[in-house]
Amino acid sequence: MINKNGIFKLIILITVIAMLGAGLAGCAPKPSGGADENNGDQGEVSNVEPVKIGVLAPLTGGLASIGEQLKNGNELAAKMINENGGIKSLGGAPLELIFLDGEGRQEVAMGEVERAIDQEKVSVVTGSFHSPSAMGATQVAERLKTPYLIQVAGADDITNRGFNYVTRVSVNLFKYGYDAVSYFDWLNKEKDAGIKKIALIFEDADFGQSTAKGSKEAIKDLGFELALDLSYPAASTQNMTPYVSKIKAANVDAVIATSFIADALLLADSIEELGLDAIKLGISGGFADPLFAENIGSKVESWFLADNFNTDIPGIEEVNNKYSETYNSKMGGHAAHAYQSILIIADAIERAASRDRDDINNALKETSITDSSKIIVPYKAIEFDEKGQNIYAEPVVIQYQDGERKTVFPSKFATSEPKF
Amino acid sequence: MNLTLFGQTLVSGLLQGGIYAQIAMGLMLGLGVLGIINFAHGEFLMIAMYVTLIVFRLDINPYLAIFISFPLLYFLGVILAKYLIIPILDRETMAQFLIMIGLSLVLMNLAMIIFSPNFYTVKAALTGKTLKIGEIIIGANRLLGFAISILVTGALLWMMQKTELGRNIRAVSQNRYAASLVGVNVKAIYQIAFGISLATLGISGPFLTPIYYVSPNIGSFFILFAFAIVIVGGMGNFKGALVASFLIGLADAFGAVLLPGSTGPILPFIFLILTLLFKPKGLFGGSGI
Amino acid sequence: MLKVENISAGYGKIEVIQDINIEVEEGEMVALVGANGAGKSTLINTVSGILKPTKGNIVFMGENIIGHEPHDIVNKGLIQIPEGRQLFGDMTVEENLLMGATSPEGKKFKDETLEYVYNLFPRLLERKRQISKTLSGGEQQMIAVGRALMLKPKLLICDEISLGLAPIVVADMFNIISGLNKEGLTILLIEQNVKRSLAISKRAYVIENGKIVLHGLSNDIKDDPYIKQAYLGL
Ligand SMILES: Nc1ncnc2c1ncn2[C@@H]1O[C@H](COP(=O)(O)OP(=O)(O)OP(=O)(O)O)[C@@H](O)[C@H]1O
Ligand SMILES: [Mg+2]
């Protein structure tokens, strides 16, 4: 009745399709107008040997939508640098990006980074968004003595382990959580917001735990009352209504949420449904994702969003336009940090005048970028402390107003007043 | 816990349970009749949801997507049963596992290629509308999704118990050898049953999409709960699965509200483990459907 | 009515029956006897289309049914009561019987056949709402016979319907089978109970190790010295 040979062929077919599917998914979702896949899109081909940079990002799997934005940002920066003559101190060597698909899985990320260092002989590694992957990947880089510049992964421990080869551009999670509360303090003082009781709701992995830690410390420091401290597992929570009911029952003045995109959408929907009346602030992650606003529509205007980037920051129009032209989508914080990171790496290589990993690492750690034309992220400057954390990385608070993504805090970057 | 919070949690748990039910029912039909664990069940829901998204993007009422997703998923089920599943029914379980997991990955990746990994939401007529009973607020979309779920489940139960097709499906599930000896076309029943199993998702999809969102990995979101329900309700026991859906939905909701920190979702799984420990055949006993 | 010609069949690479030739004429009751593992069930499952033969022909009512699907063969009126009853255990007695009425012929005469079956087995009428797996072995065998009758068989093949039943119930069963034959039903009786089956059948085949070793009138076979010694313990 059964043809064994036939089934064997079927298994092969399925495996091939599955692999093909996985492979294509890694490079496929590119909106129209995009450059092609080969290295040509990173700029001119020069006859000087390129400097290889490993770029880790979750290109497939559940985080692939963010991975794509990261990829775009990295790619655009490399292209601009190469078009402007590459690394001058190395005779115009172009940057060659080697994309490493971490799939949003730690073990895969670690394997890919090790492969890039050992086999692809990259001089430096950058990227990753998914913190567990970043934790693992930096461990590999540290062991193999290769500089690793973190773009957006926020886990506090990434720079708290005393590693010599790790630096980070973006805001770390503790800082996000802390500054969210500082913002409420500012609202109380400047805008008479009258916030006393605060509820925290956060996904229960390192991302949410770390921001919550920052918020709790700030709540204590600044004299607020922590009315509720809720966490949930993002991967298995489809129903946010019970959590929101609980927040509603607690009569709080403000809520700080830390979520990935899926749970952020469900949370916002449930809040709307139950008519929760409180000031709402969402920290980075899902809330910073342009998909959040796109999907929840006009009710997004009732949210404050803490992010590491906004397009209304002065002086970034050029990059912003280039990005939209090339990728047919708006540049978000992930892409901006990816872009910024490649600029920082290029600056370090330029100063090091070397492809050597240690030379580049030393140059990276001495980075001091203060020229605002070289900064497209909302930080006054870029300098790393002894742990490798960018000293000037602070979140901005954003609010959608009449469909525009306006920065409302801190004052030095603000383009509008908060509405609540 | 005050009364309002209790009521709100109760309602929320019941609604959620109802939504799980229709997903679990289809899963169980495939499992009970073909004896195959359809790891791609959630991905078929995803297909129905993308159909809804497309219909919505064409400026057509997303609920009307049912007229496409229902027949589409039925025929997809029939064709898959014929060319993929029936040929592997006599293989070792491990080979079946690999093939079904492979199918799930293929579908997920195809969705990623076709629709990008992005998240999309669909607004329906009832989006944002709520119903108030005293202090308790019920999202209209959820209520509709729940009602549809109960209808689908009821229709499935009726079909299985009261129609000749249902009796033939049960016969094949209970004894495929005897079924063929009383003139039942076993292969045809396999195809129809798997078709129906997926068609239930074709009904659910258009009503669940406005409550959730669509993305290539939305299927995996539901599948774990669907499996838990099949286990708790008892293999092949449709009524058991219906009750188990509500119990799991309630456990999920009350766990979120009552248990500290993020330990809430442990409750449904404690429930599952206890069932496995004390009633390994499910709360209501297994049956051959 | 049924003509099995040079049939060989088995499981995977193992050939269990070889070159079997059997014939059943309309209205006859023919017995096929043999020890455990001789290949009786293998033969009739091949006839029913469950197993595909490696060679040979099976002609039923003038039509070669090799390669036909089991449900197709059932619809032609070739009905098997399988060994071990094979009920739908979680269905009620009546549901099991009605499962027989799914063939076109069975559907046509559903109500009258059901009445006929309940007349034949009044115990089933009393228990029609009971879940079949909770019935006694004898009662379950009645369901199996009843279910086959619901299909309006032209040829009924009974595979060891006396197996595992108490002697008094066995006697009842043989009486009922004999009665059905007298009413005109063609029957191929497969049995280990050689004595009884030879007593009620007209002709018989003896199968050993997958081969027919003897065939002829049941009366003659009963008196065959080899059969007496090997099967009748005389
Ligand atoms: N599904 C199967 N797979 C492999 N071998 C089988 C299978 N079924 C039966 N056999 C083997 O085929 C041979 C004949 O078995 P069969 O069931 O036809 O015997 P039988 O004459 O009906 O015996 P019994 O009187 O015990 O029912 C035996 O050796 C048995 O082990
Ligand atoms: Mg036998």
Side-chain angles (χ1 to χ4, degrees), chain C residues 41 83 159-160:
Chain C
S41 300
E83 184 179 342
D159 194 353
E160 307 207 26

Side-chain angles (χ1 to χ4, degrees), chain C residues 11 14 16 34-43 83 159-160 192:
Chain C
Y11 307 91
I14 311 157
V16 172
N36 286 119
K40 304 181 294 292
S41 300
T42 304
L43 173 62
E83 184 179 342
D159 194 353
E160 307 207 26
Q192 283 186 58

Side-chain angles (χ1 to χ4, degrees), chain A residues 247-299:
Chain A
I247 296 173
K248 199 177 168 197
N251 275 321
V252 296
D253 304 306
V255 181
I256 300 175
T258 307
S259 308
F260 298 113
I261 179 71
D263 32 331
L265 290 174
L266 294 176
L267 179 67
D269 267 344
S270 288
I271 283 180
E272 203 61 25
E273 208 167 277
L274 296 188
L276 175 68
D277 180 25
I279 291 175
K280 301 172 296 253
L281 185 145
I283 292 180
S284 181
F287 296 99
D289 193 323
L291 291 169
F292 179 69
E294 239 167 71
N295 277 305
I296 73 168
S298 63
K299 38 184 187 182

Side-chain angles (χ1 to χ4, degrees), chain A residues 26-47:
Chain A
C27 49
K30 175 164 296 182
S32 62
D36 32 41
E37 265 310 298
N38 58 35
N39 288 334
D41 63 326
Q42 288 163 17
E44 307 260 300
V45 182
S46 117
N47 46 15

Side-chain angles (χ1 to χ4, degrees), chain B residues 26 44 46 62 185-186 212 239 285:
Chain B
F44 290 107
M46 171 200 81
N185 184 343
V186 173
Y212 297 95
K239 284 177 195 151

Side-chain angles (χ1 to χ4, degrees), chain A residues 20 117-118 130 135 146 152 164 210 255 291 294 310 317 391 414:
Chain A
L20 196 72
I117 295 173
D118 275 350
H130 182 236
M135 291 286 283
T146 307
V152 276
N164 182 37
S210 306
V255 181
L291 291 169
E294 239 167 71
N310 196 8
E317 294 82 3
I391 303 163

Side-chain angles (χ1 to χ4, degrees), chain A residues 94-115:
Chain A
L95 302 180
E96 181 186 338
L97 303 187
I98 314 258
F99 285 101
L100 313 170
D101 180 9
E103 298 175 19
R105 287 160 57 196
Q106 189 180 51
E107 69 285 2
V108 178
M110 291 172 77
E112 278 293 280
V113 168
E114 180 140 9
R115 180 181 68 82

